[in-house]
Amino acid sequence: MTPDRFAAARRRMVQAVARAVPGCPDRVLEALVRVPRHRFVDEALWPRAYRDEALPIGHGQTISKPSTVARMTAALGPGPGERILEVGTGSGYQAAVLALLAGAVFTVERIPALAVRARTRLDRLGIRNVEIRPGDGRIGWPEQAPFDAVLVTAAAARVPRSLFEQVRPGGRLVAPVGEGEDQRIVCWLHAGGEWELQELDPCRFVPLREGMGGR
Ligand code: SAH
């Protein structure tokens, strides 16, 4: 991606993220340096795009805090050539970060207007290994399963079973679990027919909703 006037601000943001997320792999931090986060929000919000904060993206939804994106990406551990499912495309920012680290990203968004905008942004940035589908991501993307890893970016008390069913043996699933103020990032490893669970930091996501969203 070409240099832009926010490159220095973005580097400072990534330094702050590295302090906030100890042990975050360098390749994740490098992906955050490469993806121009301002291009995933309205121009009026560009001055705030490189602070470690969530920002509105319309339709009552938000682009996650960079440190949260880093934490979830680090927990997911996307590797070169891997196929990743994301539930909750939102702005497309997290998908762009995953696209630099994995082979192919499949992402589902229930609000069609957000899916369209995310597509436009990724096309303009020349990111080609992301497929976006409007739909209810709680059912995953069965035609493209199995996935090496599944990342859910909207919170629910329980992660839908069909998402677990679409993770290959040895794969991972990362999701914000809980409701309202009481949410945690949870990481599951599909190991030897069992699911090993690890609870990570508290987080704050918009809810995972049923069915398709408006307009
Ligand atoms: N990953 C996004 C941020 C996610 S915000 C980014 O990088 O910008 C959560 C998104 O999940 C919202 O856009 C919301 O509309 C979407 N969402 C909520 N429930 C969903 C569902 N059942 N299926 C697909 N998307 C859903």
Side-chain angles (χ1 to χ4, degrees):
M1 266 151 262
T2 46
D4 58 78
R5 65 190 161 103
F6 292 106
R10 190 155 56 247
R11 275 181 196 285
R12 284 193 297 276
M13 175 196 87
V14 174
Q15 285 163 2
V17 167
R19 287 191 294 274
V21 188
C24 185
D26 285 346
R27 59 194 297 275
V28 173
L29 298 173
E30 281 157 19
L32 295 183
V33 169
R34 286 177 61 198
V35 179
R37 186 171 185 259
H38 66 283
R39 299 279 295 272
F40 293 83
V41 295
D42 285 345
E43 199 163 347
L45 294 173
W46 285 9
R48 290 164 61 189
Y50 294 104
R51 298 183 196 166
D52 193 16
E53 62 182 26
L55 292 171
I57 54 171
H59 304 266
Q61 308 303 318
T62 53
I63 178 175
S64 312
K65 271 168 84 148
S67 57
T68 301
V69 172
R71 259 188 206 104
M72 297 197 84
T73 308
L76 196 73
E82 286 196 331
R83 292 158 48 82
I84 313 292
L85 172 68
E86 180 194 27
V87 175
T89 315
S91 66
Y93 176 72
Q94 171 78 70
V97 170
L98 294 172
L100 296 186
L101 296 164
V105 179
F106 300 85
T107 178
V108 188
E109 170 56 54
R110 69 183 283 277
I111 299 175
L114 290 179
V116 169
R117 288 170 75 185
R119 172 81 278 153
T120 307
R121 292 181 181 121
L122 294 170
D123 287 347
R124 287 193 182 140
L125 293 169
I127 297 175
R128 290 184 225 292
N129 55 337
V130 178
E131 277 196 48
I132 305 179
R133 168 154 115 173
D136 184 350
R138 293 174 316 136
I139 59 173
W141 195 324
E143 301 85 349
Q144 292 291 351
F147 299 97
D148 296 294
V150 174
L151 177 60
V152 185
T153 65
R158 281 168 176 279
V159 176
R161 178 194 292 266
S162 50
L163 297 180
F164 285 101
E165 290 169 354
Q166 291 174 31
V167 178
R168 70 157 167 88
R172 294 86 60 199
L173 188 152
V174 173
V177 176
E179 281 164 317
E181 309 255 312
D182 183 23
Q183 300 176 14
R184 269 181 183 274
I185 300 172
V186 181
C187 177
W188 285 267
L189 175 66
H190 193 184
E194 309 267 310
W195 286 96
E196 283 172 16
L197 178 152
Q198 194 189 0
E199 284 208 15
L200 306 169
D201 306 84
C203 60
R204 187 82 197 266
F205 277 84
V206 296
L208 185 70
R209 295 191 190 281
E210 266 182 52
M212 290 291 284
R215 299 186 303 280

